[in-house]
Every structure is written in structure tokens, then in C-alpha cells.
């Protein structure tokens, strides 16, 4: 597409900071066309009233308009945006392509929609009045990608009251509610959002809302395919507004760029859109990139916030075998906690304390720190240079802050950073001392054996610590305060570090980021299945893990890891997983 001088100049105005603050992640033209083609399959006969509630420069409206024109369908286009420059460009583009019946509104759609039963009249232009509520046959959208808190306290609170929101939510959630209200019964919603709601605990309310208000037609997880310039992992939801009595069969597609080491044959195509449009599943290559595509029937329960299952028949059978064989889950034995939070890491955490020389805080307060940078799956790689200045102690099992007057070097160091530390007003308001960590945890718990694993990692790195180290906030930890629970930690370590559990994690939680990195949230790890702790297989896994944790020989570790895979697979009654695909 050839850009006008106006369009080029406008795009130059859209800085990365603007995108971050406003969530203005514009839809690529080919993705807009893909979504429009999907929507057109479900369009009813007769005139179609089309809405984009955050239309930006109009890519989605332009695409769906062209599609409807090709189908010789009569239609009206309505677009909302609070940015007049975007609207001016959108209007110019649509007119240049010969589209008519265009009504663009400079306003905040979320404020304009009426959530009461009394419908609100709104001026779409100087001559036409029409209701927003229950008024549109098609809603096509790519709403902003921001947390509501970024909007500012007052606006966030207004949205929370209007849409009955609780906690930290993404802006696309109130948009989903508002778009649903704007659709006629039987109307079609085609929306691009972040894929986070598909698998996270925070997405429970979104999954529940969509399943209650829509006949789900298709779900397309675009994963790490990098279709946007911004760091967004998108998904497409297609649904028909109605109150479903029973779940209807809905198709899903998942496409991810990371193949987890797959080296088999690849299907050559021209672009990622050929992958999406192909009737085949499998492994593809396009312009030097490699993609894995899987598809099948989406499984979900109406009115439930449970994660939606996007598994092929073979994948579903395999997961069911693991679940059936599981005797327990991690959550049956332990709680998973996140590490310490300082909210001033550059002050508290360093690997260069020795360079301070005489100004270095007292060694008593400098503790070894386990962080995502310095752990591997097994103990053989111990190398801890990172330390945290930890001004907390335990007295009779109760957390206390140290008497800073007894540590003059630490006091001097803290005073050098006084402005930064005292800027943490929330800490002061909570009645805490200005030099404390925000979340220090119980100091007496660091002495116990624990499993530590990074929040984000390419591979599982469940590390067993028995040396009293502190855990950084970019990691999670599981602590065994009872001696009899230590071997349970080792069983979890063996299962969690296996390729089998990595495959289970990918299939069940479906949460990979760019370049194959995985998220190891509390809610995922606590749901890891475990074999019977008293079984022979479990005891053999623990024995093998003990050997792995003390071995320093790479060849021996490799052999023990193969042995571990065989034992874990045997414990769950499936074949060993030696290669992830």
C-alpha cells in the first residue's frame, strides 16, 4: 500500500512511549484481512452495521469494508477513537478506497457505552442519531493493550465502577464487556487481544464472561509469531452473541515459532498467513522462520473460569493419562511463593560489594542471593557472587528489622541512597522503616531446604538449595520446614526438571513467550501432577535426583537425566519424552 504524505507524517508521530502509554498497537494489514475473512464466513444476509470501538488509523474497518463490498453486502461503518489525527487518517483512507456510509466518532467508546438498560442516544454525525447499545451486527476490534492502572487513578477507578472490575486488569476486558453490549443478539465479534487470558488465573473472569455471552466459533492463538511491532502475544476470538445452553463445537488454531528442537521435515509456505489458512497442521517454514501449527476442537465449560483446552486428540489423550496416573499435585503438599521484593534492586542487590572496600556494609547483612541469572537445574553449577543487603532478622520466629545503629557501615550506605529509598512512600505509609525491603519474607525460613525456579526460562531450572540462601523476586520458591518433607521437594525437582513435565506444561498451560521462553507462574507449578510419593518409582526418582544434585561430571549428569526421564515416564504410565516437538 502506498502511503500518503499525511499518513507518513502521522506514523512518525507515533513513538514507542505513546504506544506503551496508550496501548496503540496498530493492526498489520494482512492480519486485518485475515480477521475480516474469518468474520465474513459468519455474516448473515441483509445490511450490516459494523463497529470498531478503537479504530485508530482504520485498518480493520477498511479491511472488513472491502470484504463486505466484495460480497455485495450493504453496510454502514462506525469507528470510535479519542485521537482526532487517527480518525482523520482513517476517514481519508476509507474514502480513497471508495467506501461509503462512514461515521467516525472522536470519543472514548468505554465512556459512551451505556451499561444500564436505558439505551443512550449518540450523535454519530451531524444528521444521524443512533443507539450504541444492541445496535451492531459486526464488531471488529484490536483494543488497547494496557493495564487499567496505567490510565491514572481517577480513570481506572471510574472504569472499575462502571464495568465492575476488580484488581489489575487489562483494558481489553472492559472493551469486551462494552463491545458485547453494543452487539445485537446473534451479532458477530471478531477481536484481537493479548493471549494472556487464555491460560492465566487473572483471565478466569474473561473466560467465564465470553463463555456465558457467546457461542464460541473459533479461537486462534498467534503466540510468538511477532505479527505486531510491539511485544504482544496475540490471540483472535470469534464468537456469536447469544446465551448458549450447551457448548457448541469450536475450532482452535495455535501457531508458535519456537519448535523446541524439532528437526524433521517442514512444509514450505510464503508467509505466516499461509500457515494460518492451511488446512494442515504440522511444521512449516516461511522466509527463514519456522512454525508449529496445531488445531482441533476447543474444550470449555459455559460459565466456568477454568482454562480452555486447546489440544489435539492425541495430545488430549496423553495429558489425560498423566492426570489419571497422578496421585497428588504440588499444591497438596506446598505453597509456591515469589521471592523477595525490594522495589529498589539497584540499592539492595549487587555482585560488586567488594569494590566498595571500606564502605562495604557489614558481611552479616550481605546474604547469598539465588536469582534467575545464577541457577541451573542441578546443584553442580553453584556459583553465587550475587548478594543482597538484607536488613531483617528473626527473633523467636518473628520477623524484625535490624537495629541499624548497630551496623554503621550499612547505615552509611543506606544514607547515600536515602532519597531513592524514602521515595517508596507506600513503605513509609505502611509504618515500615525507610531502609527495609518491601517484601522480605520470614527470615527464619531461608535456613530450610527449598526448591527455587525462575519466573521465565527456556528450560525448567528447579534448583535445590540447602545452604540458607535468599531468593530474588524474579524467582519462585517452595520451602520444606519439616524434615520429612525434604524428599517431597526432591520428587518435585525430578518431575519438574523432566522433559515430560515440560511437555505437559506447554500443552496444559500454553503460555510460552517469545523464543520459546516459558512462564513458571505459581498457579501452574502448584498444579503439576506427582506420582504416589510412597511408590517404588517415586523413591527411584528421588534417589536419581540426589545423584544429580551432587554430581559435577557433565557426562554423568547427562546419563542420569536420561535415567530420570525413563523413571518419570514409568511413574505416569507413558513413554519417555526425550525430544520436545
Amino acid at each position: 500500500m502506498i502511503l500518503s504524505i499525511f499518513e507518513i507524517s502521522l506514523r512518525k508521530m507515533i513513538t514507542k512511549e505513546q504506544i506503551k502509554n496508550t496501548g496503540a498497537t496498530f493492526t498489520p494489514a494482512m492480519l486485518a484481512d485475515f480477521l475480516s475473512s474469518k468474520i465474513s464466513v459468519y455474516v448473515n444476509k441483509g445490511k450490516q452495521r459494523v463497529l470498531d470501538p478503537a479504530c485508530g488509523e482504520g485498518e480493520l474497518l477498511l479491511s472488513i469494508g472491502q470484504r463486505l463490498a466484495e460480497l455485495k453486502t450493504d453496510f454502514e461503518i462506525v469507528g470510535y477513537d479519542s485521537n482526532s489525527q487517527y480518525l482523520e487518517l482513517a476517514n481519508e483512507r476509507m474514502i480513497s478506497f471508495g467506501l461509503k456510509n462512514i461515521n467516525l466518532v472522536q470519543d472514548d467508546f468505554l465512556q459512551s457505552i451505556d451499561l444500564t438498560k436505558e439505551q443512550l442516544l449518540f450523535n454519530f454525525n451531524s444528521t444521524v442519531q443512533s443507539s450504541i447499545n444492541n445496535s451492531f451486527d459486526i464488531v471488529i476490534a484490536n483494543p488497547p493493550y494496557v493495564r487499567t492502572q496505567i490510565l491514572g487513578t481517577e480513570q481506572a477507578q471510574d472504569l472499575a465502577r462502571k464495568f465492575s472490575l476488580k484488581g489489575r486488569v487489562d483494558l481489553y476486558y472492559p472493551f469486551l464487556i462494552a463491545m458485547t453490549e453494543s452487539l445485537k443478539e446473534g451479532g458477530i465479534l471478531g477481536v484481537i487481544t493479548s493471549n494472556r487470558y487464555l491460560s492465566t488465573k487473572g483471565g478466569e473472569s474473561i473466560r467465564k464472561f465470553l463463555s456465558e455471552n457467546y457461542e464460541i466459533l473459533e479461537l486462534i492463538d498467534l503466540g510468538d509469531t511477532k505479527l505486531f511491532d510491539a511485544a504482544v502475544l496475540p490471540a483472535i476470538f470469534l464468537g456469536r452473541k447469544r446465551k448458549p445452553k450447551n457448548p457448541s463445537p469450536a475450532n482452535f488454531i495455535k501457531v508458535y515459532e519456537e519448535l523446541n528442537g524439532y528437526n524433521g521435515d517442514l512444509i514450505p509456505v510464503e508467509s505466516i498467513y499461509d500457515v494460518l489458512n492451511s488446512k494442515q497442521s504440522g511444521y512449516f517454514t516461511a522466509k527463514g522462520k519456522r512454525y508449529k501449527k496445531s488445531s482441533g476442537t476447543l474444550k470449555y465449560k459455559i460459565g466456568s473460569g477454568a482454562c480452555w483446552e486447546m489440544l489435539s486428540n492425541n495430545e488430549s489423550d496423553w495429558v489425560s493419562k498423566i492426570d489419571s496416573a497422578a496421585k497428588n499435585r504440588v499444591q497438596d503438599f506446598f505453597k509456591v511463593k515469589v521471592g523477595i521484593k525490594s522495589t529498589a534492586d539497584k540499592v539492595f542487590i549487587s555482585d560488586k560489594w567488594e569494590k566498595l572496600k571500606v564502605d562495604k556494609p557489614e558481611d552479616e547483612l550481605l546474604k547469598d542471593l539465588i536469582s534467575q541469572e545464577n541457577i541451573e537445574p542441578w546443584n553442580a553449577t553453584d556459583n553465587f557472587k550475587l548478594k543482597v543487603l538484607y536488613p531483617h532478622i528473626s527473633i523467636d520466629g518473628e520477623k524484625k528489622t535490624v537495629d541499624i545503629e548497630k551496623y554503621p557501615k550499612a547505615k552509611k550506605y543506606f544514607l547515600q541512597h536515602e532519597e531513592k529509598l524514602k521515595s517508596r512512600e507506600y513503605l513509609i505509609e505502611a509504618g515500615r522503616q525507610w531502609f527495609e525491603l518491601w517484601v522480605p519474607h520470614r527470615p527464619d525460613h531461608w535456613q530450610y531446604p527449598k526448591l527455587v525456579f525462575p519466573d521465565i526460562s527456556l528450560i525448567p531450572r528447579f534448583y535445590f538449595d540447602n545452604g540458607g540462601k535468599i531468593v530474588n523476586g524474579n524467582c519462585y520458591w517452595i520451602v520444606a520446614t519439616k524434615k520429612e518433607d525434604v524428599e517431597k521437594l526432591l520428587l518435585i525437582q525430578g518431575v519438574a526438571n523432566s522433559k515430560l513435565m515440560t511437555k505437559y506444561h506447554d500443552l496444559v498451560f500454553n503460555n510460552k513467550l517469545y523464543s520459546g521462553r516459558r512462564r513458571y507462574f505459581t498457579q501452574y507449578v502448584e498444579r503439576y501432577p506427582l506420582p504416589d510419593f510412597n511408590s517404588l518409582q517415586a523413591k527411584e526418582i528421588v534417589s536419581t535426583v540426589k545423584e544429580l544434585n551432587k554430581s559435577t561430571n557433565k557426562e554423568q549428569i547427562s546419563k542420569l537425566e536420561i535415567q530420570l526421564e525413563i523413571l518419570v515416564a514409568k511413574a505416569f504410565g507413558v513413554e519417555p519424552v526425550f525430544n520436545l516437538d
Side-chain angles (χ1 to χ4, degrees):
M1 181 185 299
I2 299 175
L3 304 180
S4 67
I5 294 174
F6 174 73
E7 187 173 1
I8 292 170
S9 62
L10 176 58
R11 289 193 172 185
K12 286 181 179 178
M13 293 168 54
I14 303 168
T15 65
K16 288 183 179 180
E17 192 64 25
Q18 284 175 303
I19 290 173
K20 178 181 177 181
N21 293 335
T22 66
T25 305
F26 295 120
T27 312
M30 293 184 71
L31 181 57
D33 291 342
F34 175 76
L35 177 55
S36 294
S37 67
K38 284 288 184 182
I39 290 173
S40 67
V41 173
Y42 304 102
V43 170
N44 297 320
K45 293 181 180 180
K47 182 176 180 178
Q48 301 295 304
R49 198 149 185 263
V50 183
L51 168 71
D52 183 342
C55 67
E57 53 190 10
E59 196 68 62
L60 288 170
L61 288 176
L62 177 62
S63 179
I64 190 68
Q66 291 176 302
R67 186 69 179 173
L68 293 174
E70 290 170 3
L71 296 173
K72 301 187 184 306
T73 301
D74 191 16
F75 61 91
E76 177 193 0
I77 285 176
V78 177
Y80 273 73
D81 206 286
S82 57
N83 188 304
S84 62
Q85 292 175 312
Y86 296 163
L87 291 178
E88 187 177 346
L89 174 57
N91 189 62
E92 179 186 278
R93 297 179 72 203
M94 283 185 275
I95 290 174
S96 70
F97 277 89
L99 299 184
K100 300 178 181 179
N101 295 325
I102 304 165
N103 298 303
L104 300 181
V105 185
Q106 185 183 349
D107 208 341
D108 183 342
F109 179 75
L110 295 181
Q111 296 300 325
S112 299
I113 194 73
D114 180 15
L115 295 186
T116 68
K117 296 304 178 184
E118 299 176 1
Q119 294 186 359
L120 176 69
L121 291 178
F122 189 84
N123 288 321
F124 286 103
N125 56 36
S126 58
T127 59
V128 178
Q129 279 196 333
S130 181
S131 170
I132 300 175
N133 295 64
N134 305 307
S135 177
F136 295 95
D137 303 281
I138 298 171
V139 174
I140 184 169
N142 174 19
Y145 290 59
V146 293
R147 291 279 193 172
T148 54
Q149 284 74 13
I150 293 177
L151 304 175
T153 302
E154 185 176 350
Q155 190 174 357
Q157 290 175 349
D158 287 344
L159 284 174
R161 282 191 294 268
K162 181 169 184 175
F163 293 94
S164 300
L165 306 176
K166 295 180 180 180
R168 294 178 175 271
V169 297
D170 287 299
L171 195 57
Y172 63 80
Y173 186 19
F175 265 96
L176 286 170
I177 298 172
M179 290 186 290
T180 301
E181 187 64 28
S182 73
L183 271 172
K184 296 176 181 176
E185 187 74 9
I188 301 299
L189 172 66
V191 60
I192 305 168
T193 68
S194 161
N195 70 359
R196 281 176 58 86
Y197 79 89
L198 298 178
S199 58
T200 63
K201 186 175 181 61
E204 286 180 356
S205 55
I206 297 178
R207 295 190 294 270
K208 182 175 185 294
F209 175 82
L210 291 174
S211 70
E212 287 177 333
N213 288 278
Y214 288 91
E215 172 194 356
I216 301 176
L217 302 172
E218 296 186 50
L219 187 66
I220 303 167
D221 181 3
L222 298 167
D224 62 348
T225 50
K226 301 180 181 69
L227 294 181
F228 288 93
D229 291 335
V232 175
L233 281 79
I236 293 174
F237 175 88
L238 285 157
R240 179 181 285 111
K241 181 182 175 181
R242 62 178 49 170
K243 299 288 185 182
K245 293 181 180 179
N246 296 298
S248 302
N251 297 323
F252 77 82
I253 293 174
K254 289 192 299 184
V255 181
Y256 278 78
E257 187 175 334
E258 174 60 37
L259 302 189
N260 292 316
Y262 173 80
N263 291 309
D265 293 336
L266 300 170
I267 302 169
V269 292
E270 289 298 315
S271 75
I272 176 63
Y273 298 99
D274 293 322
V275 177
L276 290 169
N277 287 313
S278 173
K279 293 182 179 180
Q280 291 181 270
S281 292
Y283 298 88
F284 295 78
T285 179
K287 296 180 179 178
K289 293 187 176 182
R290 309 188 322 156
Y291 301 97
K292 177 186 178 182
K293 176 187 176 184
S294 56
S295 59
T297 301
L298 179 71
K299 295 180 181 179
Y300 65 98
K301 293 181 180 179
I302 295 174
S304 170
C307 289
W308 297 345
E309 183 179 299
M310 291 184 284
L311 302 175
S312 68
N313 290 336
N314 288 339
E315 290 170 341
S316 183
D317 290 344
W318 186 85
V319 169
S320 294
K321 286 181 180 179
I322 302 293
D323 288 338
S324 296
K327 180 71 173 179
N328 294 103
R329 304 275 170 172
V330 169
Q331 63 192 8
D332 296 332
F333 299 125
F334 302 104
K335 290 290 185 184
V336 176
K337 298 183 284 189
V338 72
I340 61 169
K341 299 285 186 181
S342 73
T343 62
D345 282 0
K346 290 183 179 179
V347 176
F348 288 95
I349 297 171
S350 177
D351 58 358
K352 298 179 175 60
W353 292 108
E354 297 301 325
K355 290 187 176 181
L356 296 179
K357 296 181 180 179
V358 296
D359 292 326
K360 185 185 78 168
E362 287 80 0
D363 287 337
E364 185 181 341
L365 300 184
L366 293 174
K367 309 291 186 182
D368 287 340
L369 184 70
I370 305 176
S371 189
Q372 64 181 7
E373 309 98 295
N374 59 16
I375 55 173
E376 294 297 334
W378 316 111
N379 268 359
T381 55
D382 281 359
N383 182 20
F384 292 93
K385 296 180 180 178
L386 205 61
K387 294 183 183 291
V388 58
L389 179 53
Y390 190 76
H392 301 276
I393 54 173
S394 178
I395 299 178
D396 297 327
E398 186 177 350
K399 179 184 66 185
K400 298 287 185 181
T401 305
V402 299
D403 181 355
I404 200 63
E405 299 301 329
K406 294 182 179 179
Y407 299 92
K409 292 182 178 180
K411 180 181 178 181
K412 180 180 178 182
Y413 174 82
F414 281 135
L415 286 171
Q416 291 171 355
H417 301 278
E418 184 176 11
E419 182 178 355
K420 170 67 175 176
L421 296 177
K422 287 189 174 179
S423 68
R424 303 177 299 163
E425 295 178 1
Y426 45 86
L427 189 142
I428 309 299
E429 290 171 358
R432 309 270 296 280
Q433 297 194 57
W434 60 273
F435 56 87
E436 292 187 43
L437 295 170
W438 174 235
V439 181
H441 289 297
R442 288 181 54 175
D444 59 319
H445 275 195
W446 302 122
Q447 65 181 308
Y448 295 111
K450 52 187 171 289
L451 274 187
V452 186
F453 52 96
D455 171 22
I456 300 173
S457 182
L458 275 170
I459 62 170
R461 291 185 283 154
F462 287 73
Y463 170 90
F464 181 77
D465 173 59
N466 200 19
K469 301 178 185 70
I470 293 176
V471 179
N472 199 4
N474 56 25
C475 294
Y476 293 94
W477 59 302
I478 305 170
V479 62
T481 56
K482 299 176 183 176
K483 187 176 181 180
E484 59 267 28
D485 286 341
V486 174
E487 291 204 343
K488 290 188 178 75
L489 283 186
L490 296 174
L491 176 63
I492 294 170
Q493 185 187 15
V495 171
N497 276 335
S498 70
K499 287 185 173 67
L500 181 146
M501 192 49 55
T502 301
K503 177 179 177 179
Y504 182 94
H505 183 109
D506 289 348
L507 292 176
V508 175
F509 307 122
N510 190 45
N511 74 330
K512 275 192 288 186
L513 304 173
Y514 289 120
S515 303
R517 294 176 301 151
R518 297 172 175 86
R519 296 301 301 267
Y520 288 89
F521 287 136
T522 295
Q523 67 207 63
Y524 300 152
V525 174
E526 285 188 345
R527 289 173 54 197
Y528 274 13
L530 297 172
D532 183 355
F533 177 68
N534 294 312
S535 67
L536 176 61
Q537 291 94 339
K539 295 183 184 304
E540 290 177 332
I541 290 170
V542 170
S543 177
T544 302
V545 168
K546 288 179 178 179
E547 291 297 314
L548 280 161
N549 280 339
K550 67 182 182 182
S551 178
T552 58
N553 182 288
K554 289 185 178 180
E555 184 177 347
Q556 184 186 18
I557 289 173
S558 181
K559 289 180 180 178
L560 287 169
E561 286 178 331
I562 292 172
Q563 180 180 322
L564 178 67
E565 289 297 339
I566 295 170
L567 290 171
V568 171
K570 186 177 180 182
F572 289 110
V574 295
E575 292 297 313
V577 177
F578 295 119
N579 294 297
L580 295 169
D581 54 21

